[in-house]
Amino acid sequence: MLGDDPMLRDLRPDDIETLVRMLRAGDHTPEEAVRRAIGAYHVLVGEEDGRMKGFVGTREEAPREFDLRIYVDPGFRRQGLGRRLYGAGMARLQGPGRVTARYRADGPTPAGGPNVAQAFYARRGFEVWYSMDELVYPGGRRGPGDRARPPAGAGARPAAGAGAGTHLEIRPYDDRYFERYIRIVGDAFEPMRRGKDFRPHNVFETNDNPERRAYFLSAKNDIFLAFELGSGGGETLVGVGGVEGDFIDEVGVDPAHQGQGYGKALTEFGMNLLLERGYPSPRTSVVSDNEPARGMYYRLGFELAQTNEWARKNGSGK
């Protein structure tokens, strides 16, 4: 029980399996990722007669910036539970300067009306911020046109668009390249982050500390670096990539070396790595209006699994 509301209470360990099943119903997110997400939030559940009907999760993303997630089982919607969960979740936040909420952009939409979740948050002062396409690669299956299996193996290969005699080689992360690595991650994503107001706009300073350096070293088998090799024997670190579980993340190319096919090569390497590790359907995500990146993923054979949307509001108004 939470306060005077007999339906709302804190999450208990024996609720986890039910919560996982609830979240995965009609959702593409793998079970492993769902469990990680549950552990990152402070969760309240809505319950009646011993049955979980919904939940609200809150998490502090940065000082005075919070993330809010609400879900109500389809059989119990339009009964006021979402409103009560929202109120309880907002009451948990301590003087928020900004609150973000995520929901399925391709979720329930009444005929002629807006997305149900989008309308729910709009009535509470949230404005649509951005959306992300969640993509999945369907294993070895080949589709029409230019869709094909990613190339086998990794290592030196010709770099499209580069000068004669130039090759690209992809290697595991090495701590010697820490400063260059975090600089590329910061600079490659800064235009997108600035355009969407993702803070900080450049993550170089966020990563430039001993704790992050130790983390990257501990994850060296999941991070890979792309080097441009010249005919004279010189080499330049031009791009980076990484994987987490079945997910390809943070494929970035130094802005001075973009447009030469390096992002595609890094993505193919990540796909191969995950397939070799036994993940039959590697996943990734892309901001929905990033047309160049979306086009590359679709040409590689990725397919749209779902689209998530984020909305945000400033201040602590209920």
Side-chain angles (χ1 to χ4, degrees):
M1 180 183 299
L2 179 70
D4 296 326
D5 195 330
M7 288 187 64
L8 304 185
R9 61 168 176 78
D10 286 308
L11 182 73
R12 298 190 302 248
D14 60 350
D15 295 322
I16 299 295
E17 298 306 318
T18 300
L19 191 57
V20 169
R21 288 195 298 272
M22 181 180 290
L23 282 170
R24 296 200 67 214
D27 193 288
H28 173 72
T29 308
E31 181 176 338
E32 178 183 353
V34 170
R35 291 183 184 277
R36 285 199 305 269
I38 292 172
Y41 285 80
H42 180 199
V43 178
L44 298 173
V45 302
E47 180 184 71
E48 188 171 42
D49 298 328
R51 179 171 180 179
M52 190 186 302
K53 294 185 173 183
F55 74 91
V56 57
T58 56
R59 178 177 68 180
E60 187 170 13
E61 300 274 286
R64 301 188 68 242
E65 295 189 6
F66 296 87
D67 190 52
L68 178 77
R69 303 287 170 88
I70 296 173
Y71 181 85
V72 177
D73 186 279
F76 300 101
R77 292 174 183 170
R78 306 188 68 82
Q79 298 178 26
L81 179 57
R83 172 180 51 79
R84 296 159 73 184
L85 288 167
Y86 174 82
M90 291 294 290
R92 293 268 177 161
L93 309 185
Q94 300 298 315
R98 184 167 71 175
V99 182
T100 63
R102 192 193 81 173
Y103 48 87
R104 288 283 297 271
D106 51 1
T109 302
N115 175 285
V116 170
Q118 184 185 95
F120 174 90
Y121 287 108
R123 290 194 296 271
R124 289 156 178 83
F126 285 76
E127 297 181 350
V128 174
W129 185 7
Y130 69 98
S131 63
M132 295 279 288
D133 289 348
E134 303 293 330
L135 308 176
V136 61
Y137 177 73
R141 191 182 74 189
R142 300 174 66 100
D146 61 359
R147 187 176 296 173
R149 290 184 178 88
R157 63 181 64 148
T166 300
H167 288 72
L168 190 71
E169 185 170 282
I170 300 178
R171 310 173 191 157
Y173 176 80
D174 189 310
D175 184 64
R176 292 176 297 170
Y177 301 102
F178 167 72
E179 292 185 1
R180 178 69 176 148
Y181 170 77
I182 63 174
R183 176 60 68 187
I184 290 178
V185 171
D187 292 350
F189 293 101
E190 180 176 0
M192 182 273 292
R193 294 182 66 88
R194 188 175 297 278
K196 297 300 180 185
D197 193 27
F198 297 164
R199 302 175 189 175
H201 295 154
N202 190 306
V203 297
F204 174 82
E205 292 186 2
T206 303
N207 286 326
D208 190 17
N209 59 70
E211 292 77 16
R212 293 296 288 168
R213 185 168 192 161
Y215 167 75
F216 295 135
L217 185 58
S218 72
K220 63 181 181 180
N221 293 329
D222 294 331
I223 300 173
F224 36 94
L225 311 176
F227 293 85
E228 186 181 87
L229 308 180
S231 57
E235 63 179 38
T236 304
L237 178 56
V238 296
V240 302
V243 297
E244 182 177 358
D246 68 343
F247 194 85
I248 301 170
D249 193 20
E250 290 194 342
V251 170
V253 177
D254 182 342
H257 296 272
Q258 291 177 1
Q260 302 185 60
Y262 296 161
K264 176 176 178 287
L266 282 159
T267 302
E268 290 174 331
F269 182 91
M271 294 162 71
N272 282 324
L273 181 62
L274 294 180
L275 290 168
E276 290 165 5
R277 289 182 177 181
Y279 292 105
S281 302
R283 297 184 303 124
T284 193
S285 64
V286 61
V287 175
S288 299
D289 59 4
N290 185 346
E291 293 299 335
R294 291 176 76 245
M296 179 195 72
Y297 287 127
Y298 286 131
R299 286 192 295 274
L300 286 171
F302 282 89
E303 299 177 354
L304 179 64
Q306 66 187 54
T307 300
N308 297 320
E309 191 167 79
W310 277 256
R312 63 180 176 177
K313 67 181 294 186
N314 294 320
S316 56
K318 305 302 192 232

